[in-house]
Structure formats: C-alpha cells, structure tokens
Amino acid sequence: MIMDSRISSATYFNQGLAGMTTAQNAIAKAMQEISSGQKEIRASSDPSTTASLVELDRSVSRLQQYQRNADAADARLGQAENTLQGMSETLSRARELAIQFNNGVHDDVSRQAMRDEFGQLRDQMLSLANTRDERGDYLFSGSQVGTAPYASAVSAFAGDTRGLNISVAEGRSVRAGWTAEGLQGALQTLDDMASDTSLTTVDAARFDSLVQAQDLAITLRAQVGNSMNAVELARADNEGELYGYTATLSALRDTDYASAITELNKQTLVLQATQSTLARVQGLSLFNEL
C-alpha cells in the first residue's frame, strides 16, 4: 500500500512538473508577444499562416518598390516638364528674334547684338537638351541615359529613339525618357545665326527648324503630362493594395493585447495552482515515508 502511494505521488509530481513547464512556456510566450507587439508564429506549428506571411511580405515589398519607382518617375517627369517649357520659351524668343532680324534695316551694332542673343539662345537650348535628372541621367537621350544628347550645338544627336520606361505598378509602365533628336536643326540654326556674319536674313528652312523644334517641345510636354497622370493613378492603386496587404499582415502578425493579457493571467494562475499542488504532493510523500 505504501509502495502504491509512493508510485501515485511520483506520478502526480512528474505530471505537475510537466504542467509547470507548460505554464511557464505559455507565460514566456505571452510576455514576449506583449513586449514585441507581434505574435509568435512558427512554421513547424502553423505552416499555413507562415506561408501566408511570406507571400504577403513579398507583395508588400513589390508594391513598395513600385511606389519608389513612381516617386523617381514623378521627379523625372516634373523636371522634364519644366525643361520642355524652358525649351518652348527659348524657341519662341528665337522665332521673334528671327523675324526681327529679317525686318528693317540694321546697322552692324544692332546685328551683332542680335547675333549675340542668338548665341545665348543656342547655349540655353544646348543646356536644356542636355538636362540631367537628380541621379545624373540625361532626360532626352532616349534609353542612352548615360550619354549626353549633344556634345555641342553642331554635333550629331548621340542618343537613341527608344525612350525610357519605368514600371510603376503591376503590368504598368510610364514613359520617363525621350529623344531630343528633333532639336538638331534648331541648334544648328541658332549656331549659324550666332557665328556666320555673312548671313543677313534667317531663311525659310532655318525658320522652319525653329518652328518644328518648338512643336516638338510642345508635343513632348503633352506626353509628359500624360505620364504624370498615369503615375498618379498607379500610385493611388498601389496605395490601395498596400493598405489591404498591411491590414491582413497586421491581423495575422500583430499581438492581440487583450487575448495575450488574458492568456498571461490564466497561465499565471495555472502555474500558481500547479506549484501549490506539487508542494502538497511533496508533503504527502514525506509523510508516507515516515
């Protein structure tokens, strides 16, 4: 009878120790979740949730990259819009000056003053055509963003005509780089009028080159506006998807503080009860030995 009692006491004691370990682990888990703000999720115990979290994290990361691309495209587009406006204004002044150059009788001093201004307009156009973005990439060299479109006002266009596209959403990209090849005639005209003192008029072909270049600047600016609208739409769509994904991630990963605190209190009571039971069992064991 004494032997049976000892066996029963040992069994209760071992079960109590196991219960204490379980309660202590549960308390540690609850405290960790409360302090970190995130649930403890392990692939071994919850493979489905773990797989969902991995996929959601990938989706969020992809959308965040699209948003960074959209920001970069937006900055580039804004700079392009300002540059093209500057081109249009410069070419408009060049046309006015060409008309002035052709009208009336001018002495050498006034003609030289106009040639000097043609030279200034040439330099402005060359600088605008070779505009770089904040990363140092050229805006108007097509896809050859590391190559200046024009080495000088009389050099050939060094870029290409492919343009540059930037991905801003799933399956969507926007044009964010253009070709300035069509400006070559205008640059040549401005250089001719600035440097060739034998010219006393701006002929029709040269004047047309200024008109065509201004038309190109206006057309490109409209394309830039379309791209800016597309970026805004893509950014709004990305934000909507990000909100949904982050809300789902929060529901799966973030600590439910009310539940965690309830579990902590519950397991604390279980631990205290188990410790009390073990103390009684241990006391009975000593009594039986006596």
Side-chain angles (χ1 to χ4, degrees):
M1 185 68 178
I2 294 175
M3 181 64 69
D4 290 342
S5 176
R6 288 178 178 176
I7 293 173
S8 297
S9 296
T11 300
Y12 288 140
F13 189 79
N14 289 334
Q15 290 175 344
L17 285 177
M20 281 182 59
T21 300
T22 300
Q24 288 170 340
N25 290 338
I27 289 171
K29 179 175 179 289
M31 292 180 67
Q32 174 62 26
E33 290 184 351
I34 291 170
S35 63
S36 68
Q38 291 190 341
K39 299 173 184 175
E40 183 182 285
I41 301 172
R42 296 181 180 179
S44 57
S45 58
D46 195 347
S48 177
T49 299
T50 301
S52 295
L53 288 172
V54 170
E55 186 58 34
L56 285 166
D57 281 333
R58 287 175 180 168
S59 297
V60 168
S61 178
R62 184 174 65 254
L63 286 167
Q64 288 174 337
Q65 182 60 57
Y66 283 140
Q67 292 296 68
R68 288 191 292 270
N69 291 353
D71 291 340
D74 202 38
R76 190 174 167 89
L77 291 166
Q79 189 174 8
E81 182 182 37
N82 292 334
T83 302
L84 289 165
Q85 181 179 355
M87 285 184 185
S88 183
E89 292 171 354
T90 300
L91 290 164
S92 180
R93 175 54 189 158
R95 291 171 63 180
E96 292 174 359
L97 188 62
I99 293 171
Q100 181 183 347
F101 193 84
N102 287 349
N103 290 338
V105 178
H106 303 285
D107 58 25
D108 291 342
V109 174
S110 62
R111 283 191 182 280
Q112 187 56 50
M114 285 186 280
R115 287 193 181 95
D116 290 343
E117 187 174 355
F118 275 123
Q120 293 169 4
L121 295 173
R122 173 202 59 202
D123 294 343
Q124 289 175 19
M125 280 299 299
L126 181 62
S127 177
L128 290 167
N130 288 337
T131 297
R132 300 183 188 215
D133 65 15
E134 59 186 12
R135 296 175 53 187
D137 294 334
Y138 291 98
L139 294 178
F140 301 106
S141 57
S143 65
Q144 303 297 315
V145 295
T147 302
Y150 294 101
S152 71
V154 296
S155 64
F157 177 67
D160 61 33
T161 59
R162 289 198 297 271
L164 176 70
N165 294 321
I166 297 178
S167 296
V168 293
E170 192 68 34
R172 281 188 277 176
S173 61
V174 297
R175 175 63 63 88
W178 302 265
T179 175
E181 185 178 19
L183 300 178
Q184 187 170 0
L187 287 168
Q188 182 67 61
T189 291
L190 292 172
D191 187 73
D192 289 345
M193 298 311 301
S195 58
D196 191 345
T197 57
S198 68
L199 294 175
T200 57
T201 61
V202 179
D203 60 35
R206 288 187 173 92
F207 190 83
D208 284 346
S209 72
L210 300 177
V211 174
Q212 291 169 9
Q214 187 175 17
D215 288 344
L216 174 62
I218 293 170
T219 298
L220 291 180
R221 192 178 179 196
Q223 292 177 7
V224 168
N226 291 335
S227 290
M228 293 176 80
N229 291 335
V231 168
E232 289 307 308
L233 288 174
R235 183 184 280 118
D237 290 343
N238 291 339
E239 287 176 354
E241 288 189 62
L242 274 171
Y243 179 82
Y245 285 136
T246 53
T248 303
L249 276 171
S250 177
L252 291 174
R253 180 178 283 157
D254 292 353
T255 297
D256 181 339
Y257 285 99
S259 297
I261 291 171
T262 298
E263 180 66 11
L264 176 62
N265 293 335
K266 172 186 171 183
Q267 294 300 330
T268 299
L269 291 174
V270 170
L271 178 61
Q272 291 171 348
T274 303
Q275 289 172 332
S276 177
T277 300
L278 283 177
R280 288 198 302 273
V281 169
Q282 193 171 22
L284 287 173
S285 297
L286 291 173
F287 176 78
N288 289 332
E289 289 179 2
L290 294 174

